[in-house]
Amino acid sequence: ESAQSTSANDSGSNKLITIGFSQVGAESDWRVANTASMKSALSEKNGFKLIFADAQQKQENQIKAVRDFISQDVDVIAIAPVTETGWETVLGEAKDADIPVIIVDRMIKVSDDSLFSCWVGSDFQKEGVNAAEWLVNYMKEKGKTDKQNVVVLQGTIGSSAEIGRTKGFGDTIKKYDNFNILAQQTGEFTQAKGQEVMESFLKQYNDIDVVIAQNDNMAFGAIDALKAAGKAPGKDVTIVSFDAVKAAFKSMIAGDMNVSVECNPLHGPRVAELAKKLMNDEKVEKIQYVDEKVYPAEIAEKELPNRQY
Ligand code: GYE
């Protein structure tokens, strides 16, 4: 027992909050930044004991991790879910054990909202709409009124990030008859898979004008595939991406990527605050969206020094 509790806001208790966090994996720069944010906010010096579990992009690993957290009788469980569905049973077990659950980043779909305490993350559908609107304006400004053929590299199928971005983009772009979605396929949010899927698109279609990559890492893979095929990404082929990680700004400055729609991964402090409130039986907001912007290439150089991830 430490006798060092000198700070007034310790209010007599220096017991750490034990929090189990089931993370998706380490598939992207976004995810790595998210893990770093969670680990630093849920540190001992902030009053937490963190049990971190990496699910390697598999929901079954997450379900196992949550059961582990329950059997260790943690104070709070946080989950960044791989997919939206399949959570009812294990969340019912957490509820029976009286352990509050914070969902972070992607969303879940459950018939009973009391299976989780709260959620914080991004409006993925809005991100998709923003991407489409940016593209429509960009082509208009360039005077390109002829048919634009689009391919979409989707994220993990069934994840909120994929579902929202696919729907937001698709619903918006279909209102304009000069855009045609040639194909969409998952690249699982990784650079390697993004490259592979882009290579196969390039074999099937010789008239691709636009690539929509549902995260920056898949865009980097697609850019490599395009260059290897003798195309000029950012010029002959417009590259629209999501996340807006630092490496995307570098890619925009290099002229390879045209725009990245921001997705903020810095959820650690938000989750820490929610966990503390839940432990104090304070009311929390059930659903909390974070604010996000759109970063086109022309402002990349100016913005890069301000980027935190
Ligand atoms: O866009 C992608 C990551 O769920 C918002 O997951 C997150 C997404 C993010 O792999 O890079």
Side-chain angles (χ1 to χ4, degrees):
E1 264 12 14
S2 130
Q4 303 298 98
S5 182
T6 48
S7 123
N9 54 22
D10 274 356
S11 59
S13 153
N14 50 14
K15 193 183 165 290
L16 299 175
I17 298 171
T18 302
I19 182 165
F21 174 43
S22 170
Q23 174 61 297
V24 169
E27 72 283 0
S28 64
D29 288 20
W30 188 100
R31 188 65 54 194
V32 171
N34 178 245
T35 294
S37 170
M38 295 290 280
K39 284 187 173 167
S40 96
L42 302 172
S43 65
E44 292 205 4
K45 88 172 197 306
N46 289 338
F48 293 93
K49 181 175 182 291
L50 171 65
I51 308 171
F52 180 86
D54 178 333
Q56 314 210 318
Q57 298 230 70
K58 293 205 177 73
Q59 186 187 35
E60 63 206 76
N61 292 339
Q62 297 202 286
I63 290 172
K64 265 192 230 138
V66 172
R67 292 202 166 118
D68 261 13
F69 299 153
I70 296 170
S71 70
Q72 293 179 66
D73 199 24
V74 299
D75 298 312
V76 185
I77 293 173
I79 307 172
V82 176
T83 49
E84 288 191 348
T85 56
W87 292 101
E88 314 266 346
T89 308
V90 76
L91 292 185
E93 292 165 25
K95 191 181 174 188
D96 290 344
D98 256 330
I99 303 173
V101 173
I102 301 171
I103 307 293
V104 58
D105 160 28
R106 302 174 186 172
M107 219 338 170
I108 57 169
K109 220 183 199 154
V110 280
S111 51
D112 172 6
D113 261 10
S114 76
L115 288 175
F116 65 101
S117 299
C118 53
W119 170 84
V120 60
S122 308
D123 187 339
F124 301 113
Q125 193 166 326
K126 187 168 160 219
E127 291 173 357
V129 171
N130 288 347
E133 284 176 348
W134 179 88
L135 180 64
V136 168
N137 284 331
Y138 178 77
M139 292 301 175
K140 204 186 274 168
E141 272 168 25
K142 293 199 103 184
K144 291 208 175 182
T145 50
D146 56 327
K147 185 145 244 118
Q148 299 297 309
N149 288 317
V150 180
V151 293
V152 182
L153 293 168
Q154 293 169 292
T156 304
I157 299 297
S159 70
S160 303
E162 176 274 314
I163 294 170
R165 289 169 188 168
T166 301
K167 183 167 169 39
F169 180 81
D171 286 356
T172 308
I173 212 71
K174 74 170 178 236
K175 297 185 199 149
Y176 301 86
D177 23 272
N178 58 322
F179 291 91
N180 170 39
I181 298 183
L182 283 176
Q184 46 189 28
Q185 197 178 314
T186 182
E188 269 139 40
F189 282 132
T190 70
Q191 175 158 351
K193 211 55 214 289
Q195 178 167 353
E196 205 180 295
V197 174
M198 191 66 219
E199 282 163 2
S200 87
F201 282 160
L202 285 164
K203 278 183 200 137
Q204 292 171 66
Y205 308 100
N206 54 18
D207 51 355
I208 298 170
D209 302 300
V210 180
V211 176
I212 307 295
Q214 288 182 354
N215 80 346
D216 289 330
N217 292 82
M218 293 191 295
F220 304 149
I223 286 166
D224 288 346
L226 283 159
K227 286 182 177 170
K231 313 249 180 205
K235 292 135 210 124
D236 309 343
V237 181
T238 302
I239 310 292
V240 177
S241 184
F242 294 85
D243 285 353
V245 297
K246 269 186 190 158
F249 283 75
K250 291 182 184 150
S251 178
M252 287 192 273
I253 293 166
D256 294 335
M257 185 185 283
N258 299 86
V259 66
S260 193
V261 176
E262 182 179 39
C263 182
N264 189 320
L266 306 179
H267 295 312
R270 297 185 259 271
V271 171
E273 195 193 321
L274 289 167
K276 285 189 175 162
K277 284 190 173 164
L278 290 169
M279 292 311 291
N280 290 332
D281 281 326
E282 283 173 53
K283 231 182 107 60
V284 297
E285 262 183 85
K286 186 89 185 182
I287 302 286
Q288 227 180 297
Y289 289 105
V290 299
D291 274 344
E292 292 165 341
K293 297 199 173 82
V294 175
Y295 291 102
E298 57 274 19
I299 62 170
E301 189 144 20
K302 194 176 136 249
E303 284 296 329
L304 178 59
N306 307 325
R307 301 304 292 167
Q308 290 177 62
Y309 52 89

